[in-house]
Amino acid sequence: MTTPFAKRIFSGIQPSGGLTLGNYLGALKRFAEYQGKGAETIYCVVDLHAITVWQDPEKLRHNTREVAAAFLASGVDPDVSVLFNQSQVSQHAELAWLFNTVARVGWMYRMTQFKDKAGKNSENSSLGLLAYPSLMAADILAYHATAVPVGEDQKQHLELTRDIAAKFNHDYGQDFFPITEPLIEGTATRVMSLRDGAKKMSKSDPSDAARINLTDDADTIAQKIRKARTDADPLPGSMDGLKDRPEARNLVNIYAALSGETADQVLSRFEGQGFGAFKPALAEVAVEIMAPITARMSQFMADPAEIDRILGRGSDQAAAIAGPIVERTKEIMGMIRSR
């Protein structure tokens, strides 16, 4: 018999600095939209993941607060959702260790992101970098999350979480952990570079013109869109006509995601027009949506004590959920609880 798990959405963002439009459209905007839709929403700044590579302590503190400010500025309401930073809730690290005994080493070595980040000198990477998918599984399953919003590039991590949950349930003859489902939806779940439509928009791109940062002001946003790489052809009437035009497709997807329309609806309005008409319209929409978020982020960052208070309250709420789940996990595994 399958246990009826309560509907609960969990997700997190790593405080590695430099949040972009891709983080907003692919994650933060959606996180706010999931609130009040019948599932409990739990959101986390995953600072334990950040330290799998060395971090300057002061920058890590700043980046953690900046990500929290981005959550808040994007509409995540700490009175509706649980918002906290991972390191304040000890159950994440504790459950990750328990899952280290369930997960297989081969699973970790197959993870694409480990190969990408470790590179050719993987023997010198931290053990945490290899094992962090186990921590990611703990992040999700410590709350019995039934769904996780993920981008296409993160599906492998969720599949591993599902593998760990299934193996634990099988090994201990329990239906204890849910088999978490991915939430992959929306027009721009994967926002691409403004300079190369085949590459994901990234803070690590050497060209700042390739991305829109959440800290960019209105003039900078408009200028980057005006200079975005495109082609000389007019826009077609449907997305089928953009199959081999990655830069054009990316800009149309961004417009649709920002405006709340479908990509085909956008194209039906701009059919036959060139980017001389489309880019100013996109810049207007982008500034209208993004400039207030930048302003709200600045306001939150001006009061770090308030951010810390919000995260602290959220950590207490998170621990109240995760604590009993982790304790029951240990009981199932045969550990004796002190009375």
Short mmCIF file of all heavy atoms in Angstrom, two decimals, residues 163-187:
data_model
loop_
_atom_site.label_atom_id
_atom_site.label_comp_id
_atom_site.label_asym_id
_atom_site.label_seq_id
_atom_site.Cartn_x
_atom_site.Cartn_y
_atom_site.Cartn_z
N ASP A 163 16.21 7.39 -6.93
CA ASP A 163 16.90 6.10 -6.77
C ASP A 163 17.21 5.84 -5.29
O ASP A 163 17.06 4.72 -4.80
CB ASP A 163 18.19 6.08 -7.57
CG ASP A 163 17.96 5.99 -9.08
OD1 ASP A 163 16.84 5.61 -9.48
OD2 ASP A 163 18.89 6.31 -9.85
N ILE A 164 17.68 6.87 -4.59
CA ILE A 164 18.02 6.72 -3.17
C ILE A 164 16.76 6.40 -2.37
O ILE A 164 16.76 5.51 -1.50
CB ILE A 164 18.73 7.98 -2.64
CG1 ILE A 164 20.14 8.07 -3.23
CG2 ILE A 164 18.79 7.98 -1.11
CD1 ILE A 164 20.89 9.35 -2.87
N ALA A 165 15.67 7.13 -2.64
CA ALA A 165 14.41 6.88 -1.93
C ALA A 165 13.92 5.46 -2.17
O ALA A 165 13.52 4.75 -1.24
CB ALA A 165 13.36 7.89 -2.36
N ALA A 166 13.97 5.03 -3.43
CA ALA A 166 13.49 3.69 -3.77
C ALA A 166 14.35 2.61 -3.13
O ALA A 166 13.83 1.60 -2.63
CB ALA A 166 13.45 3.53 -5.29
N LYS A 167 15.67 2.82 -3.13
CA LYS A 167 16.56 1.82 -2.54
C LYS A 167 16.37 1.75 -1.03
O LYS A 167 16.35 0.66 -0.44
CB LYS A 167 18.01 2.11 -2.88
CG LYS A 167 18.98 0.98 -2.47
CD LYS A 167 20.38 1.22 -2.98
CE LYS A 167 21.27 0.00 -2.70
NZ LYS A 167 21.36 -0.37 -1.28
N PHE A 168 16.24 2.91 -0.38
CA PHE A 168 16.00 2.91 1.07
C PHE A 168 14.70 2.17 1.37
O PHE A 168 14.66 1.30 2.26
CB PHE A 168 15.92 4.34 1.60
CG PHE A 168 15.70 4.41 3.08
CD1 PHE A 168 16.77 4.57 3.95
CD2 PHE A 168 14.41 4.32 3.63
CE1 PHE A 168 16.57 4.62 5.33
CE2 PHE A 168 14.20 4.37 5.00
CZ PHE A 168 15.28 4.51 5.85
N ASN A 169 13.64 2.49 0.67
CA ASN A 169 12.34 1.84 0.91
C ASN A 169 12.43 0.33 0.71
O ASN A 169 11.89 -0.46 1.48
CB ASN A 169 11.28 2.43 -0.02
CG ASN A 169 10.92 3.86 0.32
OD1 ASN A 169 11.26 4.36 1.39
ND2 ASN A 169 10.23 4.54 -0.58
N HIS A 170 13.17 -0.08 -0.34
CA HIS A 170 13.32 -1.51 -0.62
C HIS A 170 14.19 -2.19 0.43
O HIS A 170 13.85 -3.26 0.95
CB HIS A 170 13.94 -1.69 -2.01
CG HIS A 170 14.24 -3.12 -2.35
ND1 HIS A 170 15.45 -3.72 -2.08
CD2 HIS A 170 13.46 -4.08 -2.93
CE1 HIS A 170 15.43 -4.97 -2.48
NE2 HIS A 170 14.23 -5.22 -3.01
N ASP A 171 15.33 -1.56 0.77
CA ASP A 171 16.27 -2.18 1.71
C ASP A 171 15.65 -2.41 3.08
O ASP A 171 15.95 -3.40 3.75
CB ASP A 171 17.52 -1.31 1.87
CG ASP A 171 18.42 -1.32 0.64
OD1 ASP A 171 18.15 -2.11 -0.28
OD2 ASP A 171 19.37 -0.51 0.61
N TYR A 172 14.77 -1.48 3.50
CA TYR A 172 14.22 -1.56 4.85
C TYR A 172 12.74 -1.98 4.87
O TYR A 172 12.12 -1.96 5.93
CB TYR A 172 14.42 -0.22 5.57
CG TYR A 172 15.89 0.04 5.85
CD1 TYR A 172 16.65 0.84 5.00
CD2 TYR A 172 16.53 -0.57 6.93
CE1 TYR A 172 18.00 1.05 5.24
CE2 TYR A 172 17.87 -0.36 7.18
CZ TYR A 172 18.61 0.45 6.33
OH TYR A 172 19.95 0.64 6.57
N GLY A 173 12.23 -2.36 3.70
CA GLY A 173 10.86 -2.86 3.64
C GLY A 173 9.83 -1.84 4.10
O GLY A 173 8.84 -2.19 4.74
N GLN A 174 10.09 -0.58 3.77
CA GLN A 174 9.21 0.51 4.20
C GLN A 174 8.75 1.33 3.00
O GLN A 174 9.44 1.40 1.98
CB GLN A 174 9.96 1.45 5.16
CG GLN A 174 10.51 0.79 6.40
CD GLN A 174 9.46 0.66 7.50
OE1 GLN A 174 8.49 1.41 7.51
NE2 GLN A 174 9.66 -0.27 8.41
N ASP A 175 7.62 1.95 3.12
CA ASP A 175 7.18 2.92 2.13
C ASP A 175 7.31 4.30 2.78
O ASP A 175 6.33 5.02 2.96
CB ASP A 175 5.73 2.64 1.72
CG ASP A 175 5.28 3.48 0.54
OD1 ASP A 175 6.15 3.95 -0.21
OD2 ASP A 175 4.06 3.68 0.39
N PHE A 176 8.56 4.63 3.15
CA PHE A 176 8.78 5.79 4.00
C PHE A 176 9.05 7.07 3.23
O PHE A 176 8.54 8.13 3.58
CB PHE A 176 9.92 5.52 4.98
CG PHE A 176 10.15 6.63 5.96
CD1 PHE A 176 9.16 6.97 6.89
CD2 PHE A 176 11.32 7.37 5.95
CE1 PHE A 176 9.34 8.01 7.79
CE2 PHE A 176 11.51 8.42 6.85
CZ PHE A 176 10.53 8.73 7.77
N PHE A 177 9.90 7.00 2.20
CA PHE A 177 10.22 8.20 1.43
C PHE A 177 9.42 8.25 0.13
O PHE A 177 9.27 7.23 -0.55
CB PHE A 177 11.71 8.25 1.09
CG PHE A 177 12.58 8.57 2.28
CD1 PHE A 177 13.47 7.63 2.78
CD2 PHE A 177 12.52 9.81 2.89
CE1 PHE A 177 14.27 7.92 3.87
CE2 PHE A 177 13.32 10.12 3.98
CZ PHE A 177 14.20 9.17 4.47
N PRO A 178 8.89 9.42 -0.22
CA PRO A 178 8.17 9.53 -1.49
C PRO A 178 9.13 9.47 -2.68
O PRO A 178 10.32 9.78 -2.55
CB PRO A 178 7.53 10.92 -1.40
CG PRO A 178 8.44 11.70 -0.50
CD PRO A 178 8.96 10.70 0.50
N ILE A 179 8.61 9.05 -3.81
CA ILE A 179 9.38 9.09 -5.06
C ILE A 179 9.04 10.44 -5.70
O ILE A 179 8.04 10.59 -6.40
CB ILE A 179 9.02 7.91 -5.99
CG1 ILE A 179 9.15 6.59 -5.23
CG2 ILE A 179 9.91 7.91 -7.22
CD1 ILE A 179 10.52 6.31 -4.63
N THR A 180 9.90 11.40 -5.44
CA THR A 180 9.63 12.80 -5.76
C THR A 180 9.51 13.01 -7.27
O THR A 180 10.32 12.50 -8.05
CB THR A 180 10.74 13.69 -5.20
OG1 THR A 180 10.95 13.38 -3.82
CG2 THR A 180 10.39 15.15 -5.33
N GLU A 181 8.51 13.79 -7.67
CA GLU A 181 8.28 14.08 -9.08
C GLU A 181 8.91 15.42 -9.47
O GLU A 181 8.93 16.35 -8.68
CB GLU A 181 6.77 14.14 -9.37
CG GLU A 181 6.04 12.82 -9.18
CD GLU A 181 6.49 11.76 -10.17
OE1 GLU A 181 6.88 12.14 -11.30
OE2 GLU A 181 6.44 10.56 -9.84
N PRO A 182 9.40 15.52 -10.71
CA PRO A 182 9.93 16.81 -11.18
C PRO A 182 8.80 17.72 -11.64
O PRO A 182 7.78 17.26 -12.17
CB PRO A 182 10.81 16.41 -12.37
CG PRO A 182 10.17 15.16 -12.90
CD PRO A 182 9.59 14.44 -11.70
N LEU A 183 8.99 19.01 -11.42
CA LEU A 183 8.09 20.02 -11.99
C LEU A 183 8.88 20.77 -13.06
O LEU A 183 9.72 21.61 -12.76
CB LEU A 183 7.62 21.00 -10.92
CG LEU A 183 6.62 20.47 -9.88
CD1 LEU A 183 6.38 21.54 -8.81
CD2 LEU A 183 5.31 20.08 -10.54
N ILE A 184 8.65 20.43 -14.31
CA ILE A 184 9.34 21.08 -15.43
C ILE A 184 8.25 21.67 -16.30
O ILE A 184 7.52 20.96 -16.99
CB ILE A 184 10.19 20.10 -16.25
CG1 ILE A 184 11.23 19.44 -15.35
CG2 ILE A 184 10.87 20.82 -17.40
CD1 ILE A 184 12.04 18.35 -16.04
N GLU A 185 8.09 22.99 -16.24
CA GLU A 185 7.01 23.63 -16.97
C GLU A 185 7.37 25.07 -17.24
O GLU A 185 8.36 25.59 -16.74
CB GLU A 185 5.71 23.55 -16.17
CG GLU A 185 5.83 24.15 -14.78
CD GLU A 185 4.60 23.88 -13.92
OE1 GLU A 185 4.15 22.73 -13.87
OE2 GLU A 185 4.12 24.85 -13.32
N GLY A 186 6.54 25.72 -18.03
CA GLY A 186 6.78 27.13 -18.33
C GLY A 186 7.56 27.30 -19.63
O GLY A 186 8.17 26.37 -20.15
N THR A 187 7.54 28.51 -20.15
CA THR A 187 8.14 28.78 -21.46
C THR A 187 9.65 28.79 -21.40
O THR A 187 10.31 28.27 -22.28
CB THR A 187 7.63 30.14 -21.98
OG1 THR A 187 6.20 30.10 -22.03
CG2 THR A 187 8.18 30.43 -23.36
#
